[in-house]
Amino acid sequence: MDNETISIDHLITVVKKGGRVKTGVDIYNKSGVLLLEQDIMVSSATVLENIKKNGVNTLAIIPGNQGGLWDETGKPIVIETHPRAQGTSVPTLDAGPEIEIKLREITHLRKEATANYQKARGNISKVLGDIKKTGGQFDYTLVEDTVSDLLKFMTENENGFSYLTKEIFSYDNYLHNHSVNVCTIGTAIISRFNKRFSESVNEFLASGVNVDASFRYYQPEELVDISAGYFLHDIGKVLVPDNILNKKGRLTQDEFDVVRRHSYEKGLEILEKNKINNRFIRNIIMYHHSVLYDNEMNCYPDEKAPEGLPAYVKVCKLADIYDAMTSKRSYKDAFNPINVVTEIFRKYARKDNLLQFILYSFVKSIGIYPTGSVVMLENGQYAYILDSIGPLVLPFTDTEGKTLDQRQAALDLGGEGAIKVDSERSLLHPMESFEILPPYLKALSMPA
Ligand SMILES: [Fe+2]
Ligand SMILES: [Fe+2]
């Protein structure tokens, strides 16, 4: 059975008769409020009626994620299936309108995301350039202007990040791109964090787990300040001499100390010069290299313990590590983003509840299969990710890796018996995979 969208009225009828439904995907209303979690087995019609009151008239059921529909005896109700591709056991969607709509949607969102990114890129150049010229002064309205649009885009689009992979993983001027990237990634994570908050705090309370004061919901105007903090997190680096910042070999202890001071000393100095005393911005700049768990190495300054570090600062640190590891610098190669997510997850998982929750938001917003990335299937075909749910992919090479001229039918890899992603082979870096895309997919991935 493929992923299906089913009218909520139909589901209400089934449930009223004693049946049950589980979506296998989180359901949100238009403003991003979580209405139903993916793992909840619904047996009450009131729950569904409530969702309907929120303006949601159809629900997606994702069988690949344990979603389904069962009658009153517990027997699965088979929902109409799509025709199968000839000669294979792989469930497919029609290569027709659905894919066209998906591709058009990707094109549209990419345009919007790219425009936001380019604007942010222009603004950060001015901000960093001014700091360099004046020794610290910059125009704060440029920062506000940048983050308001970016934040809006990220809160409105769950997978906002995935439309920017091409920009995020290409590098010219490191500090400029890094500032915009950390702002983009951090904003995506904190929006996700916020959306899940109200639901999960109840879970935590119910389970009797201690939730400390730094685990809280952020108001919209606070999110603007947080996003501005991410944008500015490394401004102190402008005052670090270039020969140290771009040094190819290992830094000496003294040089390392100079670099460290970009956060708690130089960054702070610039804020004071500009009379910015917003505590969100200040905390992010000062503590974005602080410890996330006891005894974590190479962190500074050491005045903050992990429990005292607010969630939005922890988010900045993760976004910072992610961007630093996936970027190409003068002294190192870029790591594959998917391996980086795994590595960060391994390092920080299970330290404490707040960090666990942040990591969850991190993995959810970065995504294991972001739209626009390329994976290799078990049969050797390369495929383009159309939607991270499933995931839904469009194969574009033959099994030998030769690019196909004709557009193929999309495959839902979440379907039963569906072909899987080849997990043995290392995944392609987004920049390499862009090179092998056929023209119609390349066009989608090009900056507007
Ligand atoms: Fe930094
Ligand atoms: Fe940084």
Side-chain angles (χ1 to χ4, degrees):
M1 187 172 76
D2 286 339
N3 298 346
E4 286 292 346
T5 323
I6 299 172
S7 95
I8 208 149
D9 289 329
H10 177 66
L11 295 174
I12 292 173
T13 319
V14 171
V15 167
K16 275 190 173 158
K17 276 195 226 150
R20 289 167 306 145
V21 60
K22 184 157 82 174
T23 54
V25 59
D26 291 340
I27 306 294
Y28 296 89
N29 73 4
K30 283 213 171 76
S31 356
V33 175
L34 182 66
L35 300 174
L36 180 64
E37 286 220 54
Q38 58 181 36
D39 305 325
I40 307 274
M41 182 65 85
V42 181
S43 53
S44 131
T46 329
V47 173
L48 297 171
E49 279 156 359
N50 240 327
I51 296 174
K52 197 181 164 188
K53 271 190 211 138
N54 269 274
V56 178
N57 294 316
T58 55
L59 286 187
I61 309 271
I62 315 291
N65 211 5
Q66 272 85 51
L69 188 56
W70 296 267
D71 68 11
E72 61 278 16
T73 66
K75 227 174 75 208
I77 298 175
V78 179
I79 312 161
E80 157 208 350
T81 55
H82 287 287
R84 281 163 187 251
Q86 263 198 336
T88 82
S89 63
V90 177
T92 67
L93 293 177
D94 301 335
E98 267 180 84
I99 302 307
E100 287 306 328
I101 293 168
K102 195 89 220 165
L103 290 175
R104 241 179 285 142
E105 185 187 302
I106 295 175
T107 314
H108 171 77
L109 287 170
R110 267 203 59 79
K111 264 200 188 135
E112 200 182 328
T114 314
N116 282 329
Y117 190 93
Q118 302 298 11
K119 183 166 142 194
R121 188 65 176 65
N123 285 349
I124 198 71
S125 299
K126 283 188 212 137
V127 168
L128 299 177
D130 286 350
I131 295 175
K132 187 132 208 160
K133 254 186 263 157
T134 63
Q137 294 289 337
F138 69 94
D139 179 3
Y140 186 72
T141 57
L142 287 175
V143 179
E144 276 174 331
D145 176 43
T146 306
V147 300
S148 55
D149 288 349
L150 201 61
L151 187 59
K152 189 163 166 281
F153 184 77
M154 288 299 166
T155 34
E156 281 170 5
N157 298 287
E158 283 252 296
N159 298 316
F161 170 82
S162 65
Y163 300 104
L164 285 168
T165 43
K166 180 105 201 317
E167 282 73 20
I168 294 211
F169 300 126
S170 34
Y171 276 87
D172 37 33
N173 188 324
Y174 179 70
L175 189 53
H176 295 206
N177 275 357
H178 176 66
S179 303
V180 178
N181 291 354
V182 169
C183 181
T184 309
I185 300 163
T187 303
I189 303 173
I190 200 77
S191 323
R192 179 76 67 148
F193 175 97
N194 239 17
K195 273 181 198 164
R196 298 271 310 184
F197 180 84
S198 45
E199 191 66 27
S200 309
V201 77
N202 291 337
E203 266 170 45
F204 274 156
L205 291 176
S207 64
V209 169
N210 260 339
V211 179
D212 67 55
S214 56
F215 188 63
R216 49 164 289 211
Y217 179 84
Y218 296 103
Q219 299 301 329
E221 59 279 10
E222 294 178 324
L223 285 180
V224 176
D225 295 335
I226 291 170
S227 206
Y230 296 157
F231 194 61
L232 297 173
H233 81 284
D234 265 345
I235 44 171
K237 281 203 178 159
V238 179
L239 304 184
V240 174
D242 285 343
N243 61 329
I244 299 182
L245 216 51
N246 303 324
K247 187 174 166 184
K248 286 208 170 93
R250 265 181 93 90
L251 295 181
T252 65
Q253 192 54 48
D254 285 350
E255 288 168 335
F256 197 58
D257 284 340
V258 174
V259 174
R260 284 171 162 229
R261 273 182 248 133
H262 80 276
S263 58
Y264 57 87
E265 196 182 291
K266 296 290 170 201
L268 204 60
E269 198 181 299
I270 296 173
L271 283 189
E272 279 162 8
K273 265 197 187 149
N274 290 278
K275 303 202 170 49
I276 297 168
N277 42 31
N278 179 285
R279 74 193 152 95
F280 293 101
I281 300 178
R282 192 188 147 95
N283 281 339
I284 290 169
I285 290 185
M286 282 199 63
Y287 300 114
H288 70 271
H289 292 289
S290 287
V291 282
L292 295 193
Y293 59 85
D294 291 330
N295 305 322
E296 187 185 0
M297 304 287 286
N298 300 323
C299 301
Y300 50 90
D302 19 58
E303 66 200 72
K304 276 256 194 271
E307 314 80 67
L309 206 62
Y312 61 88
V313 178
K314 295 184 175 174
V315 166
C316 188
K317 173 151 168 167
L318 295 184
D320 185 72
I321 297 172
Y322 178 80
D323 189 60
M325 287 181 78
T326 52
S327 77
K328 228 188 174 98
R329 298 291 307 274
S330 50
Y331 52 85
K332 71 160 187 65
D333 280 335
F335 292 102
N336 188 308
I338 298 179
N339 301 339
V340 172
V341 173
T342 319
E343 204 165 306
I344 292 179
F345 197 84
R346 271 202 206 118
K347 179 165 181 198
Y348 292 105
R350 293 193 207 158
K351 302 291 182 197
D352 63 65
N353 290 318
L354 175 62
L355 196 51
Q356 194 67 29
F357 189 83
I358 293 172
L359 272 182
Y360 178 85
S361 313
F362 168 75
V363 173
K364 274 266 186 173
S365 36
I366 304 297
I368 301 295
Y369 298 119
T371 303
S373 60
V374 168
V375 291
M376 188 187 266
L377 306 179
E378 280 169 333
N379 64 2
Q381 280 185 298
Y382 280 109
Y384 180 89
I385 308 279
L386 289 168
D387 196 326
S388 53
I389 297 170
L392 184 66
V393 306
L394 201 58
F396 62 87
T397 71
D398 61 16
T399 52
E400 308 290 314
K402 198 172 151 285
T403 304
L404 298 163
D405 298 332
Q406 284 275 311
R407 189 195 292 170
Q408 305 297 296
L411 303 177
D412 176 6
L413 304 191
E416 221 170 287
I419 194 163
K420 297 280 172 246
V421 171
D422 186 341
S423 51
E424 297 294 302
R425 255 177 275 209
S426 65
L427 295 148
L428 280 184
H429 189 275
M431 296 313 285
E432 286 165 39
S433 61
F434 178 74
E435 297 304 320
I436 59 165
L437 291 177
Y440 62 91
L441 289 176
K442 225 175 214 173
L444 280 184
S445 302
M446 284 288 260

